Amino acid sequence: MTAYIIRRILQMPVVILMVTFALFVIMHLLPGDPIYAMIGESEASIDPEVIEELRGELGLDDPVLVQYLDWASDLLRGDLGRSFRDRSSVTDAITDRMPVTLQLGLLSLFVAICVGVPAGTIAAVKRNSPIDAFVTLFAMFGVAVPNFWFSMMLIWVFVVELRWLPASGFVALWSDPIEALRHMALPVAALGLTLSGSIMRYTRSSVLEVLNQDSVSTEKAKGMSQRTVIVRHALRNSLLPVATIIGLQLGSLLAGSIIIESMFALPGIGRLAIQSINGRDYPMLQGVVLLFTVTVLVVNLLTDISYAILDPRIRYS
Amino acid sequence: MAHVLEALPAVPPRRRISPRRLWRTARHHPMASVALCIIVVFVLIAVMAPLIAPYDPAETNGRNRLQSPSWDHPFGTDSLGRDVLSREIFGARISLQVAVLAVAVAAGVGVPLGLISGYRGGWVDVVVMRLTDAVIAFPGLVLALTLVLVLGPSITNIMVALGVGAAPNYARLVRGQVLSLRNMEYITAARSIGAGDTRIMTRYLWPNTLPSVIVAGTLTMGTAILAEASLSFLGVGVRPPTPTWGGMLNEAFTQIYVAPFLSFFPGLAIFIITLSFNLLGDGVRDLLDPRLRTTQGL
């Protein structure tokens, strides 16, 4: 097991290297010079010499491989470089926006789990009942509904018609909890409820599988109440695969944050990603993608490890 | 006698899909059957778009801007006075095209890689698997966004961008199956009668991975439609004059305070078609690959 974990950790830099290098090459194939995106003026009005100077300063004239190695060696020293747009530090930009994305992501995950796990369990226990049908329907809705459309429907109802909630802006949870929750309600509902669909589905099938096992029949035969059997035995054993699924949902959570943050004007990492793609801000995008990739890799590893620890039957080699 | 039987090469049983089995599956999966009908209807709508659309989807009308749904314009009109229903009918073409082609690209790239990786093993396997790791670790939407920006926003490029992002899933799926198939006796038997590697891969391994590839393909259709809509919604999809559901939602979002109804129908179409492909995928899985029923969730 330890050997396995070490091997997985050693593989990570290789994958990170491939992702960042691929992105580097792709970005340098992008049509349009980042200089113009940076200056934001038409070609003709700027002295070509100034542009040449700028290019040299930013290292844009070096071969792609040299530029990449520059970036990678800076990275090893903990420096993610500076934005092409305003020369601000990429590290600062990311750490500034981190709390927004974390607040959105964690609250959404919380909602998704709080809705998904109990609903899935109830559906499994009351199999083939109307509740089961409703939960299954809701789960299908969550998986297939585009979260941006769901957001728009929420805005239509709660902002345009009822005028209960604000449609955009960010308030930190620690500065004004009530305003923060009011601002977060719609984005979190859009992201959390769509995410809860797959959690519901997996919980349901996982609980069903456990309920059919002999151990559960034995507990029931011993005279334990339905509730005890479900909560103490069935739920505990069935949450294992659910934990994995939650780990795997991270990808869709990140993708969701890109769209949702843009829609609700939340100044987070996802919106930063879109802004840097549109603004040809290579260093900024490179930093954001690095962060996303590392997060996905680490969470995947943690999921695999926790899976092995919780279920002794699983052995990695 | 038993001894002789055991020595026969074990060829995985091939199930024939008879009309009776199809009918039975359809009866056991009413949802999948309904989904299939819905998909067929959408395909017909897309094919016959010019015939059934009540208006020209590009025709603007300054006096008819942002009309609520009415008999003349059942889905309303947008900010340029264009008929939303007609635009939505034409939008089905883009969505379905991109979905089919993206899945084709994903399978076309992923399946051969998975076959070679699983059958050859060794360094080939290591390289292919690390490559798929990298693509999977790359945030999918960012990958698609940058690729589309590099290649330019055409249908072909969007389908390539989405296909490349989905290819690793196919490579892994096929590789896993090949790993369990390659030591089966029928492969050994094929090799002993002189079949080369290419022949073994194309004639003996690939047909046996086909059912799960078809299942995965049906499910990826839904994902691809959602992804294309997301790209168009973010403004990097097929260029505006061409009606796409995602693009219509993008325009509708700017009018959400004035004409919130504009966003309802394009999103509903995306939702229904994605849901249908997911439901159909579940049904197809039971038909082609019953063993997968419990293990693969979505």
Side-chain angles (χ1 to χ4, degrees), chain A residues 148, chain B residues 42 87-96 225 228-229 232-233 243-250 265-267 269-271 273:
Chain A
F148 48 93
Chain B
F42 269 91
R87 292 179 62 71
E88 198 161 329
I89 288 173
F90 274 85
R93 297 186 143 192
I94 307 286
S95 282
L96 291 172
I225 288 177
E228 184 272 325
S232 302
F233 178 71
T244 63
W245 295 339
M248 292 170 74
L249 283 178
N250 179 335
F265 292 106
I270 301 173
F271 171 55
I273 192 83

Side-chain angles (χ1 to χ4, degrees), chain B residues 172-196:
Chain B
R172 298 201 145 195
L173 178 72
V174 169
R175 173 183 176 266
Q177 300 220 319
V178 169
L179 282 183
S180 64
L181 287 171
R182 81 170 169 193
N183 292 325
M184 286 183 94
E185 288 176 24
Y186 82 102
I187 297 293
T188 322
R191 202 174 296 131
S192 71
I193 58 169

Side-chain angles (χ1 to χ4, degrees), chain A residues 11 15 18-19 23 26 30-31 140-141 143-146 148-149 152-153 156 167 201-202 258 263 277 285 292, chain B residues 31 130-131 134 138-139 142 149-150 230 249 253 256-257 260 263-264 267-268 270-271 275 278-279 282 297-298:
Chain A
Q11 279 172 0
V15 174
M18 289 190 343
V19 168
L23 181 67
I26 294 174
L30 273 180
M140 288 190 298
F141 170 81
V143 176
V145 76
F148 48 93
W149 180 59
M152 286 162 86
M153 294 299 106
W156 183 3
R201 238 181 120 151
Y202 280 101
I258 293 180
M263 287 185 77
I277 289 175
L285 183 60
F292 279 2
Chain B
M31 298 289 262
R130 286 298 81 75
L131 264 174
F138 208 116
V142 175
L149 277 181
V150 171
S230 308
L249 283 178
F253 189 48
I256 187 121
Y257 289 99
S263 51
F264 184 73
L268 191 66
I270 301 173
F271 171 55
L275 183 64
N278 287 348
L279 290 173
D282 287 348
L298 294 176

Side-chain angles (χ1 to χ4, degrees), chain A residues 68-96:
Chain A
Y68 180 72
L69 290 177
D70 277 351
W71 180 81
S73 63
D74 282 349
L75 174 68
L76 289 179
R77 278 181 269 121
D79 178 10
L80 283 171
R82 296 193 162 273
S83 158
F84 276 0
R85 295 230 90 163
D86 49 11
R87 313 296 297 139
S88 61
S89 147
V90 171
T91 323
D92 288 350
I94 288 179
T95 39
D96 280 354

Side-chain angles (χ1 to χ4, degrees), chain B residues 136-203:
Chain B
I136 289 174
F138 208 116
L141 193 61
V142 175
L143 179 69
L145 281 171
T146 26
L147 277 178
V148 172
L149 277 181
V150 171
L151 301 167
S154 73
I155 299 182
T156 326
N157 296 338
I158 288 169
M159 114 216 162
V160 168
L162 296 179
V164 167
N169 300 331
Y170 289 82
R172 298 201 145 195
L173 178 72
V174 169
R175 173 183 176 266
Q177 300 220 319
V178 169
L179 282 183
S180 64
L181 287 171
R182 81 170 169 193
N183 292 325
M184 286 183 94
E185 288 176 24
Y186 82 102
I187 297 293
T188 322
R191 202 174 296 131
S192 71
I193 58 169
D197 285 351
T198 322
R199 191 177 161 81
I200 288 180
M201 280 191 265
T202 52
R203 287 295 300 272

